[in-house]
Amino acid sequence: MWFWLALAALFCWSGSDLFSKIGSKPNDKHSHLKMVMAVGLVMGLHAFYEIFVGGVSITMQDFLTYLPVSFLYILSMTFGYVGLRYIELSISSPICNSSGALAAIFLFVFLGERLEFLNVVAISIVCVGVICLGVAEMLEDEELRTRRQEQANIKYSKSFLAIMLPVLYCIIDAIGTVADSIVLETLNESTANVAYELTFLVLGILAFIYVVVIKKEKLTKQAEGPKLIGAVFETAGQFAYIFAISANAIAAAPVISAYCVLSVVWSRIFLKEKLSRWHYASIGICIIGIVILGALEG
């Protein structure tokens, strides 16, 4: 059963990447807040299901205890959603998914966690891949960039911000993982997950008030539909991940950690994204390191 749950998490999170990207239009400056609204709605509904049907117990103290961790995870995701307006999913997803390597470094430096030689090798591979990806993005000839982006019908300009947004996701998500490892010593995983989903709901409501009530933006089914689908995939992936890891962590972790591979595949098939051979080589390096790290951490 763990294998099918791991595959479900793999497909759902890659699907979340794809539909979040489809819903993040470069000319919509509030698209990231609308994604927070969509994910907050779906996660809130799932949290209520877990409480009233699944029997998960949660108190205000539990909610507040997990709040800093929830905030870090949601902040990182928000930066990721902003980044999708400025850069290809093929580049963004591997950088974001490198947060596991950075979290391992943080755990080693700040909490004294032990790192085996193979962990160091895997982390080094990921870091080299991310650096190469950034270099490939920044040094690419502008004319070549324009030509390869014509098929996707979206023009992305070379910019420091475009690379830094997924990097910020990576850093903040890694900090969240460290905080998570500390807080989960006092909370069980089901309660923590419900607290996280309820926090997303609260922030989704605040985003709705800002975008719809204050800024008076209209929401349409055509524009917001992909965001809702992405939110469903994100929530389903989180649910499948929890049970897959609890059932067989050592086998499930490397399977799930490879979801950015599928994100790159989807971006090529459905978004018509086409990168240079240097981009793909760098992405391949990142993915190798991520999968090795996932296997070791499992």
Side-chain angles (χ1 to χ4, degrees):
M1 188 64 180
W2 69 265
F3 178 72
W4 300 110
L5 288 168
L7 282 184
L10 172 79
F11 278 96
C12 286
W13 275 346
S14 64
S16 175
D17 273 358
L18 173 64
F19 284 99
S20 297
K21 176 62 177 176
I22 293 172
S24 299
K25 302 301 182 185
N27 60 352
D28 183 0
K29 64 180 182 180
H30 292 135
S31 66
H32 59 291
L33 295 179
K34 293 172 184 175
M35 271 305 308
V36 172
M37 288 162 48
V39 177
L41 171 63
V42 177
M43 285 200 174
L45 291 173
H46 183 255
F48 291 141
Y49 174 84
E50 287 292 285
I51 293 170
F52 296 111
V53 180
V56 175
S57 175
I58 184 169
T59 65
M60 180 57 72
Q61 184 59 49
D62 294 332
F63 177 83
L64 294 175
T65 298
Y66 202 69
L67 184 60
V69 181
S70 298
F71 179 76
L72 285 168
Y73 282 146
I74 296 169
L75 180 62
S76 68
M77 290 178 68
T78 304
F79 275 120
Y81 294 144
V82 177
L84 290 176
R85 290 167 44 202
Y86 298 100
I87 197 169
E88 288 96 336
L89 175 62
S90 307
I91 299 173
S92 174
S93 185
I95 295 176
C96 291
N97 207 28
S98 300
S99 62
L102 193 58
I105 295 174
F106 287 166
L107 288 167
F108 171 73
V109 173
F110 297 110
L111 297 183
E113 295 270 342
R114 206 176 149 195
L115 284 179
E116 302 294 340
F117 175 73
L118 287 177
N119 291 99
V120 175
V121 170
I123 291 168
S124 301
I125 292 172
V126 172
C127 291
V128 168
V130 170
I131 292 170
C132 290
L133 194 54
V135 171
E137 178 68 7
M138 297 306 295
L139 296 185
E140 185 180 24
D141 181 79
E142 198 62 42
E143 185 178 343
L144 291 175
R145 177 190 301 271
T146 300
R147 282 209 303 268
R148 70 174 175 77
Q149 289 177 355
E150 285 176 353
Q151 189 176 5
N153 201 29
I154 294 180
K155 174 70 169 66
Y156 297 101
S157 298
K158 181 165 50 182
S159 73
F160 179 72
L161 176 65
I163 284 291
M164 276 309 299
L165 285 166
V167 169
L168 282 172
Y169 172 102
C170 179
I171 294 171
I172 297 170
D173 187 73
I175 296 171
T177 301
V178 175
D180 209 1
S181 69
I182 297 171
V183 174
L184 284 179
E185 293 180 0
T186 60
L187 288 180
N188 67 65
E189 290 183 349
S190 296
T191 299
N193 190 56
V194 167
Y196 167 67
E197 292 181 329
L198 290 176
T199 305
F200 227 129
L201 173 62
V202 171
L203 292 178
I205 292 170
L206 292 176
F208 177 85
I209 292 171
Y210 178 77
V211 173
V212 178
V213 178
I214 297 176
K215 291 297 183 179
K216 302 187 185 304
E217 288 202 19
K218 301 292 185 183
L219 303 179
T220 65
K221 182 170 66 175
Q222 182 179 5
E224 310 312 322
K227 297 183 181 71
L228 278 172
I229 296 172
V232 171
F233 275 121
E234 178 67 33
T235 305
Q238 179 70 17
F239 182 77
Y241 167 82
I242 291 171
F243 286 98
I245 291 296
S246 63
N248 192 345
I250 195 167
V255 176
I256 299 170
S257 69
Y259 81 86
C260 65
V261 178
L262 219 49
S263 296
V264 173
V265 172
W266 298 153
S267 67
R268 184 69 184 93
I269 295 174
F270 298 109
L271 303 179
K272 308 303 180 186
E273 291 183 358
K274 187 176 180 182
L275 305 180
S276 71
R277 65 179 182 275
W278 300 114
H279 282 98
Y280 284 122
S282 302
I283 289 168
I285 293 171
C286 284
I287 289 169
I288 290 169
I290 289 167
V291 173
I292 293 172
L293 191 61
L296 295 172
E297 289 302 304

